[in-house]
Amino acid sequence: MTQHHVKHLIIGGGIIGCSTAYHLAKNGETDIVLLEKASLTEGATWHAAGLVGQLRSSRNTTRMLKRSVAMYDALEVETGMAFDWKKVGSLRLAATKERLLEAQRLTTMARSFDLEMSMITAEEAKALFPYIDATGLEGAAYIPSDGHVDPASLCQTIAAAARRMGVDIRQGEKVEDFIVEEGKISQVITDQGRYSADTVIMAAGMWSRELGAKLGIKVPACAVEHQYIVTEPLPQPELVKGLPTLRDPERLVYYKPDAGGRLVIGGYEEGTLPFGDTGIPGEFVRQLLPDNLDRFGPLAELAAEVTPVLNEVGIRQVINGPIPYSADGDFVMGWAPGFDNLMMATGFLYGIAAGGGAGEMIAEWIIEGRPSLDLWPLDVRRFGPHHGSRAFMYPRAVEHYAHHYKMRYPGQEHETARQLRLSPLYQSLKEKGAVYGSKNGWERPLWFAPDGVDPVDQLDFLNPGWQQFSEQEHKAVREGVALIDQSSFAKFEMFGPSALDTLQHLAACNMDKPEGSVIYAQLCNKAGGIEADLTITRLGADHFYIVTGSGFGVHDADWIRRHMPQDGSCHLIEVTSARAVINICGPKSRQVLQSICEEDLSNAAFPFGTAQNITLGAAPVRAVRIGFVGELGWELHVPTEFGAHVYDQLWQAGQGQGICNVGYRAIDSLRLEKGYLYWSGDISPDYTPIEAGLGFRVHLKSGGDFIGREVLAQQKQDGPKRRLCTFVTEARLPLYGGETIIHNGQTVSLATAAGFGHSAGKTILFGYLDKALWDETDFEVEVFGQRHPIAKVEGPLYDPENTRLKS
């Protein structure tokens, strides 16, 4: 077989693969080959509906989609090729008062994301889209920079531009297998030859799962059926050409103007069918699936309610095709854990909208090592191995699909593929009223329903019912003693002769502390941004215990492993399943814990920031005196088989002190009062420890030659240009994060986190401000379209001297 060596090998000739090739070449990369088993666009791209919307729930995902629009705006001039890009704007109808609140919340979020979006009246919406019946509509949201495009023409145009810059696009060449050596894809085997490549980019859409299986990985990407119809020409077809795209989430449908005065109408119904769950049949090249009008019929009826003209025109065509999906409905991007040279770029539900920006981000990721935008919500490392299993992925994808437009309240949980990872306390807590949520497959208590209250989550935009119960849990932590099941923490042990040197290189703080020390650490990238935020306990000279958030284990372990020596002098093993974690906290926690502990737990014998092995009941326990709620307490890391025993001992011992179970929603209000930060929200690779107010954890004198040191040293010397600030108001506002922060009428920030501090008696927000605003105190926050005054204050609001934590 013919042997080739290339620098970048892209598998897949849809919009994502072509855009990645284009952006690599545009950034000066050469020796780029794209392999497509059939012809360009002939997977899912060619039959995509072609809507280009930009607003998503993540700020940086929205920014990425804005880059798609910027690319499409310039591409025709750049290439001289027309591809039917229509920047006609988009409408989102609000058919009920709840939908109006949803639209107002999205509009506020868009403003904080620097995306122009405005609320308009029902009459104004009808003026933009005359075919709608505005009767009963509460209003609409309008984004003028959205639009629609012909997907196949767009993809061919991008491919042509890539070819002009030297990209070699090889159609009709199928990837059949891989050879992997020492964590690197050394050979990509096709039906026409073999390739070795510095980087292999998996942009194979719904085929990525099958190709991943050949690599021994479960790619959390699949496909489901999606239908839309093309109508016959509408009355006054000349009106159709300039219509905006339209989404009516209450009726689960979307609209796109089409050629000849027609409309494309699609939607997201209950019970779509998974595609390829037992393997994609045959070659499946440029094929559609049999239409299912019985399944689409209810959507058509709903669409006719708001656009009665549909009762007057026929259906010209029904399109039913498989569309890519992922285990959580969002993209699968980034360096694949366990491989040195495999870049994932798959699972794109709205690939046409994302194509331009996603290709740009993937190219940056390859060339620079990371994208210019932190894309954690899209990062492949957010998934665990169970996410790619057939039992999880397809039921969850079908559920996501059905909920694409359905009302989704803040904090709403998924219903499928649950009860996968259970703490040894699960059943006991369930019997005590635990209302469970899911994180990375783990069932975790969100709050506890008292006797007489159904243990069912109580959700609402303005006044969710769970808050009153979470408030009582909050007070129990502040005033008494409480237990929190935190078994879902991701836990690792690092050991070996070079373990300390490795951590000194990774962590911005000094890791050479005495045995038994518990160290709060940030692992930074070359730009000083925070790649991981975790606690590390030194168990021995060459032995460390690492604890991070439930959803961050794969990500953090991958970051660490990519910076470990390859000579076998350092090892990292996951021990998450080996230990349950029970957090006992509150001013009475020492009294309860001491009553069943054989060792001395006094402040002198067991100071804050240390760890010891103790005996609780009959169980050997690693007790870590640290916590995320700001009170006296210990994390008890218990061998899993002893978890229920230790919990029962603590529960019985605490009866005289009014011991209480506490869920994760109370943790959030407790940590806000203390100014404790959450990775992926308040801190991320976009922000440095110094900008986040964590400069005290950056040890330039005692720390090692750690990654990002030069940038952080410069920031310590010159001061940062932005910093994380705390804002408060006496008003109890329905905030959830992402709201716009305003000064003198101008958007200046967004809320990275927000909630009500029950002990402080204030609504608390965090947000980054540029240096020019640090001396200002008076700001506003926009909530559901209304502005409310907030004041910038110096935090934290609760126990700023940490006297209670260290008592």
Side-chain angles (χ1 to χ4, degrees), residues 144 369 590:
R590 180 182 280 118

Side-chain angles (χ1 to χ4, degrees), residues 10 100 133 205 248 281 427 725:
I10 301 167
L100 186 64
D133 179 358
D248 184 359
Q427 192 58 40
C725 298

Side-chain angles (χ1 to χ4, degrees), residues 181-185 198 335-336 338-342 562 566:
E181 297 176 316
E182 297 181 352
K184 183 174 183 178
I185 299 175
D198 296 346
W335 294 112
F339 292 85
D340 291 340
N341 64 337
L342 177 58
R562 289 183 186 276
Q566 301 302 304

Side-chain angles (χ1 to χ4, degrees), residues 171-191:
Q171 302 178 73
E173 186 166 356
K174 181 182 179 182
V175 172
E176 296 183 328
D177 208 349
F178 303 89
I179 296 175
V180 179
E181 297 176 316
E182 297 181 352
K184 183 174 183 178
I185 299 175
S186 60
Q187 294 283 314
V188 177
I189 302 170
T190 77
D191 56 2

